[in-house]
Amino acid sequence: MKHLVLVGAGHTHIHILRNAETLTYPGARITIVTPEAGHPYSGMGPGLLGGSYRWDEVCIPVQELAARAGVSFLRTSVRSVDADARLLTLEDGRRLEYDILSINIGSDVVQTASLQDQRVYPVKPIANLARLKSDLLSTGSASAADAAQPSTTRVAVVGGGPAGVECAGNIAYLLHTHGSEACEVTLYSRSETLARMTPQRSLWIETFLHNRKIAVRREAVTSSDDIDADFVVLASGTHPPDALRDFGLPSGPGGGIAVNEYLQSVDYPNVFAVGDCADFVREPLDRVGVYAVRMQPVLFNNVHALLRGRTEDIRQFKRTGPYLAGVNLGFGQGLLYRGRWDVRGRAAFRLKDFIDRRFMKRYLL
């Protein structure tokens, strides 16, 4: 009986869980290895921070999905991979053999600054945003209780990309909706344009932030001496997890696992890597969730083919045209775009909210 092991519970692997019966029919068994029982959808993370969503609305119940699908669930991480022996060593010391391996462990935030003296919250994992929300509200409640000497809550968001502008807007929205007037939110961006958008769209976002009293400072933050804040949110870009260095698999220029057009490791055709932790050797992809979703049917097909011993049935992952992207800026507003088309304001938030909720409906029990 062939053994398929899924490392990580990203979007691409969730698709396999939902269709596991098709894969186990030929006599295969499946195990998923992941450190958490649930996987939060990053596209709704800023809305979680701003209070638009509850945790149960953004978190895919991976352990429950695995149980329903008859998939073994191991709540731990992988320490190392011996691809020649087809053997994993887990963080708890156990060994796990596999015939086919797929890795989908996402990405980590780039640590561009030394901020040990601050209360620092990287935007990944998404659970950090839930913790930040709780801490911000706790601080605001304490300040309100001490009405005689109210203190200003100062929040610095480091990074002017999509995650940075979303967090800045949703933090201001969270504090606004909970009556905390004594707050300062500052966004630090090294780039002249925000959210990696065109100058026109960037200007619209900056005007939106300015109107909500969110300061934008075009400065590079390298240490805690550069900022004066009670809370620091790190949104300074992402990179493949450092843990991949111990996996012993060939890496690509971006630090991810080097894969070919079939999503296979360039040296081990029985090992797949998808999502942010993969590096395409021919044509790099943006690290955005839409590609992880587009990889779902290709990974499923190719894993199915290998389980049946039909390598001739594997197919290529092909880059398609422009994808819909955008930001949730809080206050019930946002910006969505695809190519030259865009929609702004409340209509953008409503459309993004509809798309995100429809996506999550596939996975919530």
Side-chain angles (χ1 to χ4, degrees):
M1 179 178 290
K2 290 186 178 179
H3 189 198
L4 166 64
V5 175
L6 308 174
V7 176
H11 302 324
T12 320
H13 282 176
I14 298 298
H15 181 71
I16 289 181
L17 289 185
R18 291 181 67 240
N19 298 276
E21 290 184 1
T22 303
L23 298 179
T24 54
Y25 177 75
R29 63 190 180 100
I30 305 174
T31 299
I32 185 166
V33 181
T34 182
E36 301 296 338
H39 175 74
Y41 171 40
S42 59
M44 297 173 78
L48 172 72
L49 174 59
S52 299
Y53 307 115
R54 303 185 310 271
W55 179 258
D56 62 296
E57 292 178 303
V58 308
C59 190
I60 300 170
V62 179
Q63 187 170 4
E64 294 179 50
L65 286 174
R68 288 195 176 194
V71 172
S72 299
F73 181 90
L74 298 180
R75 190 171 180 175
T76 185
S77 301
V78 172
R79 183 188 303 166
S80 62
V81 178
D82 186 338
D84 293 317
R86 299 187 177 187
L87 184 68
L88 303 178
T89 300
L90 308 181
E91 283 297 334
D92 55 17
R94 284 179 290 176
R95 301 290 184 90
L96 187 64
E97 295 180 342
Y98 66 86
D99 296 290
I100 301 169
L101 175 67
S102 183
I103 302 170
N104 184 200
I105 60 174
S107 56
D108 290 338
V109 175
V110 176
Q111 298 287 338
T112 59
S114 176
L115 300 166
Q116 294 89 344
D117 297 332
Q118 306 286 339
R119 301 178 71 178
V120 180
Y121 301 77
V123 294
K124 289 194 174 185
I126 299 301
N128 287 344
L129 299 183
R131 181 169 60 92
L132 171 60
K133 175 185 175 183
S134 176
D135 291 348
L136 284 169
L137 294 180
S138 296
T139 300
S141 298
S143 297
D146 188 11
Q149 291 183 330
S151 59
T152 299
T153 301
R154 300 162 301 172
V155 184
V157 180
V158 180
V165 299
E166 287 189 298
C167 286
N170 276 279
I171 289 168
Y173 179 54
L174 175 73
L175 297 174
H176 172 79
T177 54
H178 286 80
S180 180
E181 299 297 333
C183 64
E184 295 177 0
V185 181
T186 303
L187 175 68
Y188 290 84
S189 174
R190 293 184 298 175
S191 173
E192 285 300 313
T193 56
L194 298 178
R196 297 198 294 271
M197 294 192 184
T198 63
Q200 294 80 9
R201 291 169 180 164
S202 172
L203 177 61
W204 185 87
I205 292 175
E206 186 161 359
T207 301
F208 176 93
L209 298 177
H210 175 76
N211 290 340
R212 274 78 187 171
K213 300 181 180 179
I214 301 169
V216 177
R217 300 180 63 172
R218 293 207 161 60
E219 302 175 16
V221 176
T222 58
S223 74
S224 56
D225 295 332
D226 295 335
I227 54 179
D228 185 15
D230 305 298
F231 299 87
V232 177
V233 182
L234 279 184
S236 45
T238 61
H239 65 94
D242 293 338
L244 294 179
R245 299 172 185 169
D246 299 322
F247 282 16
L249 296 165
S251 60
I257 297 171
V259 298
N260 60 22
E261 61 270 30
Y262 302 101
L263 308 179
Q264 298 166 304
S265 164
V266 292
D267 283 359
Y268 298 94
N270 67 321
V271 176
F272 296 86
V274 290
D276 285 357
C277 68
D279 265 359
F280 282 80
V281 292
R282 290 189 178 178
E283 188 177 9
L285 294 175
D286 295 337
R287 287 194 165 88
V288 292
V290 66
Y291 284 127
V293 174
R294 291 180 179 181
M295 290 174 188
Q296 287 178 342
V298 178
L299 178 67
F300 182 85
N301 175 85
N302 293 353
V303 164
H304 195 190
L306 265 60
L307 287 172
R308 292 178 296 143
R310 295 182 59 85
T311 56
E312 67 274 17
D313 289 342
I314 65 172
R315 71 176 201 244
Q316 296 182 9
F317 172 79
K318 296 181 179 179
R319 179 197 297 265
T320 55
Y323 52 83
L324 182 66
V327 289
N328 168 7
L329 296 170
F331 300 89
Q333 301 201 45
L335 188 155
L336 287 180
Y337 66 94
R338 182 176 182 177
R340 298 176 63 181
W341 171 90
D342 69 36
V343 58
R344 308 175 186 185
R346 296 192 179 279
F349 174 82
R350 287 195 295 266
L351 179 56
K352 185 178 189 306
D353 176 67
F354 171 78
I355 293 170
D356 288 340
R357 288 184 184 275
R358 185 180 62 177
F359 174 78
M360 284 297 297
K361 192 175 180 179
R362 306 179 196 174
Y363 309 114
L364 295 178
L365 300 176

